[in-house]
Structure formats: structure tokens, C-alpha cells
């Protein structure tokens, strides 16, 4: 028996891409809503800010807002297929930074590892690269906010933005350790 890709229709590809994009966006909206509004068992801005402070993100409240918006805002845009390069890059950057926080716990999510945020980030990157598909607001608007050059810029910004945030966090944690060491009695 010869297996062929000829049995995959454009309609099936469109349906699969739309379903995956909407599901990814929905997961990101829910995750960000926990941070922003305290929905779905989340802590809202105040509790998220406390967590951000403990993890070394400064200023903590701004970091909490940016993380929530990077998930919920970018997730909504991805679900709708709107400004897909920017939405994909924002979600991928947010998830990349989250994966860096989870990395010391290993790979698997059940151990607190980076598996979950890494997969969400890679999925968001795939839409930043490949576009939203035919059933999207980008398609309905003639791809005004989804041009090939925008995709290239968005994808190239992701590792830079992640690197900056990881560097800032590590620097803040190092400063915290220095302050703690100086304050400790000899």
C-alpha cells in the first residue's frame, strides 16, 4: 500500500490550522486571565506580582501585567488570527521566559519543568512563522498586519526579547543574593 499526502485536502488543512490556533489562543487567554484577573484559580495581579518579585522579575507589578498581557492578549489575538506575527512573538516570548524559570526543574511538567511553557511557546512561534490560515481576521483584512517581513521580524525578536528578560532576572537575583549576604551577620 502506498501512502500519499494527496488525501489531505486544503479544507482539512484549514480546519486543522484553525482548530489548533483557536485552542492555543484559548489556553493562553485562560492562563493570562489567572494572572490579570484571578480567574480560573489564579492569584490576580497582586498575587502574581508577589510571585514575580520572588522569581526576580523587577518591577514585579509591571512584570505581572506584561506576563498576563503576553498570555491573554496575545492568546486572544492568536485565537482570532489577528496580527499573527506580533501575537505569536509576544506569546512565544512570554512562554520562553516562563520556560527559563521552569528549566531548573527539568523537562517534564509534572516535576515543574519547562515542558508546558516550551510547547506553548513553540506552537505560538509556528503561527508567527506560518501565519494564521484562511479562517482568520488577518485573512479577512487582506493580511495588513501579517506580511512576510513582519513574520521575519517577529521571529527574530523572540530570542532577543527572551534573552533580555532572562538577563534582567538573573541580574536581579544576583543583586538580591548580594544584599542578603551583606545583611547577614558575620
Amino acid at each position: 500500500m502506498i501512502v500519499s499526502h494527496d488525501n489531505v485536502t486544503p479544507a482539512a488543512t484549514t480546519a486543522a490550522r484553525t482548530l489548533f490556533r483557536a485552542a492555543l489562543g484559548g489556553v493562553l487567554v485562560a492562563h493570562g486571565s489567572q494572572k490579570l484577573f484571578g480567574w480560573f484559580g489564579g492569584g490576580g495581579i497582586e498575587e502574581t506580582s508577589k510571585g514575580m518579585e520572588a522569581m526576580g522579575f523587577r518591577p514585579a507589578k509591571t512584570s505581572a501585567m506584561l506576563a498576563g498581557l503576553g498570555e491573554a492578549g496575545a492568546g486572544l489575538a492568536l485565537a482570532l488570527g489577528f496580527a499573527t506575527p506580533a501575537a505569536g512573538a509576544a506569546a512565544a516570548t512570554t512562554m520562553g521566559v516562563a520556560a527559563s524559570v521552569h528549566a531548573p526543574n527539568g523537562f517534564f511538567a509534572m516535576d515543574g519543568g519547562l515542558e508546558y511553557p516550551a510547547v506553548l511557546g513553540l506552537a505560538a512561534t509556528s503561527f508567527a512563522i506560518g501565519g494564521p490560515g484562511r479562517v482568520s481576521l488577518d485573512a479577512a483584512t487582506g493580511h495588513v498586519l501579517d506580511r512576510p517581513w513582519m513574520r521575519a521580524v517577529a521571529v527574530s525578536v523572540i530570542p532577543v526579547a527572551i534573552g533580555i528578560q532572562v538577563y534582567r532576572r538573573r541580574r536581579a537575583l544576583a543583586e538580591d543574593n548580594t544584599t542578603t549576604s551583606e545583611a547577614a551577620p558575620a
Side-chain angles (χ1 to χ4, degrees), residues 58-163:
R58 310 285 192 283
K61 191 166 191 172
T62 301
S63 296
M65 291 288 295
L66 289 173
L69 290 171
E71 293 169 356
L76 179 60
L78 278 172
L80 298 171
F82 181 70
T84 305
T93 297
T94 304
M95 292 295 97
V97 173
S100 77
V101 171
H102 290 273
N105 299 324
F107 179 75
F108 292 104
M110 66 185 215
D111 296 325
L114 63 86
E115 174 185 21
Y116 180 66
V119 168
L120 292 178
L122 289 169
T125 301
S126 74
F127 286 104
I129 294 168
R134 295 177 187 194
V135 180
S136 64
L137 288 179
D138 280 337
T141 60
H143 296 278
V144 173
L145 298 174
D146 177 35
R147 302 281 190 213
W149 70 266
M150 294 174 183
R151 293 178 190 184
V153 169
V155 171
S156 66
V157 166
I158 295 168
V160 174
I162 291 170

